[in-house]
């Protein structure tokens, strides 16, 4: 029998990291899991809870501190997985160097976004590219895993309000550029299960992998929701224009829904990029740019498809693991209507609510 893989995971308290952690701890015969946690979070309840979730060791290390400390905790690790948040991608550069020195056998950087090419389409994709290039410069074994857009942030809200409990934005009835572009989707609960398969698989070493469960256009997503709920989502041609995201105190009050075309998505993207450049330390400006880029890549360019992934050289989990049955969007919608879906980013929600109320 093959020996267990020793895994070190960064971001185990985040959305992506949590999904990966849940899947890995479900296979104690395959994985021994350790977590890397930053000193400022060491006393948080979610970090304290990690110990009871099947993690064998928690290392509290500042990833921008001395590299020797990182090399020490990475020594003997088979697979390092990063689920660091979107705005902190470049903090991984030192992790790459430390992993090389420590002899980590597979480095899984924080990719986990939709399929897009590098070079000016998505700022977030480009910041990840800087990390990938460091991996290649270091000749470090790697696997880059991109995923579909999560089911959990892809569903429209309903007139009755009965799925608002799980929605990050309410109402969320946005149709982009006609809603016809097909997009790869994944259930956040499957993300980790797919990662568990991928990191055990020698075929995925030194490759990009596209991990997803469904491919649907927005119009199809809306139809699934209408069919499953028996409700009509009447305002389906509205799209949010998140103009106010630069002004933190007005974030939730000033979101407006207006009709918008592909041209308007493009111009919003230019405005958002200019704001993000001018205010590099403004989290909301960065988030606005990420969102605008997603809309451009997914709905205007139509990048996020299995065909384009294959063209870019990705392996496809549907082909690698034909026995894996993903949670379809239809099944997700059923669970959603039954009240069984968790709203993502609850901890950021609190922060947003505080900003909104000015406290
Ligand atoms: N495909 C999609 O639909 C989709 C949707 C959303 C996000 N994403 C992508 O998924 C990736 C992961 O994002 P996420 O939203 O899952 O992350 P998240 O929920 O924001 O969590 C980030 C994690 O990184 C940890 N972290 C941040 N800075 C750290 C540091 N300096 N040292 C140690 N740990 C640190 C955080 O720990 P603390 O507990 O210390 O804060 C937390 O566990 C991003 O690239 C994002 O763009 C994809």
């Amino acid at each position: 029998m093959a020996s267990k893989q020793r895994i070190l995971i960064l971001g185990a308290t985040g959305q992506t990291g949590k999904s990966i952690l849940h899947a890995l701890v479900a296979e104690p015969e395959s994985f021994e899991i350790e977590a890397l946690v930053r000193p400022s979070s060491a006393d948080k309840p979610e970090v304290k809870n990690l110990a009871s979730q099947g993690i064998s060791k928690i290392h509290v290390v500042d990833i921008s501190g001395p590299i020797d400390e990182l090399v020490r905790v990475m020594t003997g690790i088979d697979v390092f997985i990063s689920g660091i948040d979107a705005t902190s991608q470049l903090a991984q550069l030192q992790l790459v160097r430390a992993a090389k020195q420590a002899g980590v056998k597979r480095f899984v950087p924080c990719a986990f976004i939709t399929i897009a090419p590098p070079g000016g389409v998505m700022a977030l994709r480009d910041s990840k590219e800087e990390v990938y290039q460091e991996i290649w410069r270091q000749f470090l074994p790697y696997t880059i895993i991109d995923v579909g857009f999560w089911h959990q942030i892809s569903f429209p809200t309903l007139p009755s309000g009965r799925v608002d409990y799980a929605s990050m934005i309410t109402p969320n009835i946005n149709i982009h550029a006609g809603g016809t572009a097909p997009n790869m989707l994944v259930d956040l609960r499957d993300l980790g299960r797919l990662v568990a398969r991928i990191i055990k698989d020698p075929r995925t070493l030194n490759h990009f992998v596209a991990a997803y469960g469904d491919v649907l256009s927005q119009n199809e997503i809306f139809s699934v929701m209408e069919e499953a709920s028996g409700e009509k989502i009447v305002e389906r041609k509205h799209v949010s224009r998140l103009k106010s995201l630069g002004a933190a105190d007005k974030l939730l009050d000033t979101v407006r829904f207006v009709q918008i075309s592909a041209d308007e998505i493009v111009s919003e993207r230019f405005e958002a990029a200019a704001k993000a450049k001018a205010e590099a330390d403004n989290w909301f400006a960065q988030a606005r740019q990420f969102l605008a880029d997603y809309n451009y890549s997914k709905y205007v360019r139509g990048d996020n498809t299995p065909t384009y992934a294959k063209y870019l050289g990705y392996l496809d989990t549907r082909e690698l693991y034909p026995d894996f049955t993903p949670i379809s969007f239809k099944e997700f919608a059923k669970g959603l209507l039954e009240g069984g879906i968790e709203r993502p980013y609850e901890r950021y929600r609190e922060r947003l609510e505080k900003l909104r109320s000015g406290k």
Side-chain angles (χ1 to χ4, degrees), residues 33-316:
I33 305 144
E34 301 172 27
L36 182 52
V37 168
R38 54 179 151 184
S40 57
S41 296
D43 293 328
K44 285 186 187 165
E46 57 267 46
V47 170
K48 301 262 179 229
N49 285 341
L50 288 177
S52 61
Q53 290 175 46
I55 282 189
S56 63
K57 260 188 223 157
I58 296 176
H59 304 276
V60 178
V61 180
D62 176 1
I63 60 173
S64 32
I67 193 167
D68 293 354
E69 191 57 10
L70 286 172
V71 174
R72 186 184 63 76
V73 299
M74 285 190 184
T75 299
I77 292 297
D78 294 304
V79 184
F80 177 84
I81 304 174
S82 168
I84 202 162
D85 56 271
T87 54
S88 307
Q89 296 298 305
L90 298 186
Q92 296 176 100
L93 291 170
Q94 172 152 263
L95 293 167
V96 172
R97 292 168 203 137
K100 178 67 183 180
Q101 287 186 36
V104 167
K105 298 196 184 83
R106 187 188 306 236
F107 189 95
V108 180
C110 185
F112 305 116
I113 53 165
T114 49
I115 304 300
V121 172
M122 292 180 74
L124 177 55
R125 172 67 181 77
D126 288 348
S127 66
K128 291 174 189 291
E129 182 71 15
E130 290 192 43
V131 179
Y132 306 161
Q133 290 184 359
E134 184 61 19
I135 290 172
W136 297 324
R137 275 192 293 270
Q138 296 289 336
F139 202 170
L140 176 66
Y142 70 94
T143 303
I144 292 166
I145 305 170
D146 277 317
V147 295
F149 211 59
W150 306 340
H151 290 344
Q152 282 78 355
I153 50 177
S154 295
F155 67 88
T157 49
L158 297 170
S160 65
R162 65 180 154 142
V163 297
D164 287 3
Y165 77 93
S167 183
M168 276 183 60
I169 302 171
T170 47
N172 184 18
I173 45 173
N174 308 344
I175 287 275
H176 301 82
T180 53
N183 266 283
M184 288 164 41
L185 300 171
V186 74
D187 193 295
L188 194 43
R189 293 163 294 179
D190 275 345
L191 189 156
R193 292 163 57 208
L194 285 162
V195 169
R197 291 275 184 123
I198 293 165
I199 62 173
K200 279 195 286 191
D201 186 344
R203 294 173 299 173
T204 60
L205 192 64
N206 302 333
H207 282 285
F208 282 72
V209 183
Y212 62 105
D214 235 333
V215 184
L216 291 176
S217 69
Q218 278 202 292
N219 288 336
E220 288 168 329
I221 288 174
F222 275 58
S223 296
V224 170
M225 286 296 289
E226 286 184 341
E227 233 169 79
S229 66
E231 295 186 40
K232 198 91 195 131
I233 308 164
V234 282
E235 296 175 272
R236 62 160 55 187
K237 59 189 173 181
H238 290 193
V239 162
S240 68
R241 195 164 160 80
L242 298 176
K243 281 202 163 279
S244 64
L245 274 174
D249 56 336
K250 290 186 185 155
L251 177 72
L252 298 179
D253 287 332
T254 52
V255 171
R256 291 284 178 262
F257 293 85
V258 295
Q259 291 191 41
I260 191 168
S261 64
D263 284 349
E264 286 173 299
I265 292 173
V266 170
S267 66
E268 159 61 6
R269 180 170 168 264
F270 279 120
E271 281 176 39
K275 179 98 176 158
K277 194 171 173 195
E279 297 179 30
D281 293 331
N282 180 342
W283 185 89
F284 293 96
Q286 304 307 311
R288 175 183 169 188
Q289 183 183 27
F290 294 160
L291 184 60
D293 284 350
Y294 266 124
N295 289 341
Y296 173 63
S297 173
K298 284 165 53 183
Y299 303 122
V300 179
R301 286 180 46 89
D303 291 331
N304 184 34
T305 66
T307 311
Y308 191 55
K310 192 153 276 190
Y311 166 79
L312 291 174
Y314 283 75
L315 302 176
D316 182 320

